[in-house]
Amino acid sequence: MSGSMTEEPNPAVTGEPGGASAGGPGACAAVIVAAGRGVRAGGDVPKQYARIGGEPVLRRTVGVFAAHPAVSTVVTVIHPDDGALARQAAGPAPIHFVTGGASRQESVYNGLKFLDNLDPEFVLVHDAARPFVTADIVSRCLDSARRHGAAAAGVPMADTVKKTDGVGLVTGTIARDRLWRAQTPQAFRYRDLLAAHEAAAGRALTDDAAVAEAAGLAVAMSQGSEDNFKITAAEDLARADRMARASAGPRVTVVGHGFDVHAFGPGGHIVLCGVRIAHTHGLEGHSDADAALHALTDAILGALGEGDIGRHFPDSDPQWRDAASDRFVRHALGLATAAGGRLVNLDLTIVCERPKLQPHNDAMKRSLCALTGLPPARIGLKATTTEKLGFAGRGEGLAAQAVVSLDLPDTV
Ligand code: MG
């Protein structure tokens, strides 16, 4: 399910249609470091979960990497206490969550180890608290790493740099012409960085470039930006909020509708909203026949003007046989995120004579929350019968209808 604490890369998340190859030569993964407890920025949640321009910092940050065409896998490293908070904040982007360690360095190492089986050629490491990273900064950093082996985004030093003694008296002026302030992202050959972290275990190095340098690797600087600052103090959070609000263009709310029917057939359970429900019959279909999630997928695709589920996941393709339908919803939500949009609410009605769905309502709603990142108050879930009329009334099958609203940039 979306956002579960997975031990292995989740096949439902990696290898989405049209995505870059998830592992092996040329593939690039991103490790987003969000394990800090830093509340220096004020507020009652760590800064990476605070809202800027109405959106959690983490969602903005992971969105840049999840939507980047060169990045096939995104791993977010979080504090063990923050599971629910992180899933809510990250939204529906297809990412993995991994538990961090006692220091930033240990947290990055945990993220790297998670990628071991996937074995990407390159890895980007980025601080969750730098939400104004852009696709261009990511591309430049990765291109530089492809040329030099490793690269760190940064900005050349503009201020004169003074060295002082213990009481603040200047003892010298440092020539600034070759000085840079390092930022993230930082990009590396995955196996090189993993080995460098293993060699640096127990040392306190402040960024991954320093870990790579300690291992003797060449690291190039690539152009970052002044806007790619790290939210640390309360004034940074206020600046980030102002920037996020200023950069937001006009928005529009769009509505989508989806409808789906599946016939009952042989079997001992059905799946609705991702929840397995025991029944005297199964549902017939190419995938797991989860009509509720199919209707929801079609509603999201409809709101985006992106056709229907059959266009994205053809029945003729054997890879969708018996597929768990949460991947269809995740794909549609990924398209919404890539378009700069977000799901605002959803309202689902399931039309079914039997089994009785009321006992499963809470489980289905929890499943929808986990899948979409929406809070319970933005999810409508209803079941009805048709008073024994029609195919649903005769128990030949069931139907589901979904309506969603999406908040999108008004660019059309
Ligand atoms: Mg269907």
Side-chain angles (χ1 to χ4, degrees), residues 267-290:
H269 75 276
I270 62 174
V271 179
L272 285 174
C273 302
V275 175
R276 189 184 162 109
I277 296 170
H279 188 44
T280 53
H281 291 78
L283 285 171
E284 292 183 344
H286 189 67
S287 65
D288 67 1
D290 188 333

Side-chain angles (χ1 to χ4, degrees), residues 24 112 222 275 308 330:
L112 294 174
S222 77
V275 175
D308 66 12
R330 246 188 233 119

Side-chain angles (χ1 to χ4, degrees), residues 138-163:
V138 173
S139 297
R140 273 197 298 272
C141 186
L142 186 56
D143 288 347
S144 184
R146 289 188 199 280
R147 283 198 304 278
H148 302 286
V155 288
M157 188 70 82
D159 301 316
T160 299
V161 182
K162 300 291 188 186
K163 188 166 183 165

Side-chain angles (χ1 to χ4, degrees), residues 260-262 287 289-291 294-295 309:
D260 194 35
V261 170
H262 281 267
S287 65
D290 188 333
H294 296 180
I309 191 168

Side-chain angles (χ1 to χ4, degrees), residues 34 52 59 131 162 178 189 224 243 250-251 255 329 389 410:
I52 55 171
R59 187 171 307 189
K162 300 291 188 186
R178 291 187 185 177
R189 290 191 177 280
M243 283 172 60
R251 309 280 296 183
V255 172
V329 177
L389 298 171
D410 192 8

Side-chain angles (χ1 to χ4, degrees), residues 378-396:
R378 294 283 180 268
I379 294 179
L381 177 61
K382 292 159 290 183
T384 187
T385 70
T386 52
E387 301 293 340
K388 303 217 160 24
L389 298 171
F391 71 85
R394 292 189 297 271
E396 294 166 7

Side-chain angles (χ1 to χ4, degrees), residues 56-143:
V57 169
L58 180 66
R59 187 171 307 189
R60 208 177 160 104
T61 305
V62 297
V64 173
F65 289 86
H68 195 288
V71 177
S72 56
T73 305
V74 180
V75 178
T76 300
V77 190
I78 61 172
H79 188 276
D81 294 345
D82 289 350
L85 194 57
R87 279 184 205 98
Q88 185 74 43
I95 60 177
H96 304 277
F97 293 99
V98 174
T99 303
S103 65
R104 183 186 186 282
Q105 195 172 322
E106 269 183 50
S107 291
V108 173
Y109 180 56
N110 288 359
L112 294 174
K113 276 192 302 186
F114 178 81
L115 294 167
D116 194 31
N117 284 345
L118 204 56
D119 196 25
E121 186 174 0
F122 288 93
V123 63
L124 290 151
V125 181
H126 185 71
D127 299 319
R130 294 183 190 270
F132 296 104
V133 61
T134 63
D136 283 348
I137 293 173
V138 173
S139 297
R140 273 197 298 272
C141 186
L142 186 56
D143 288 347

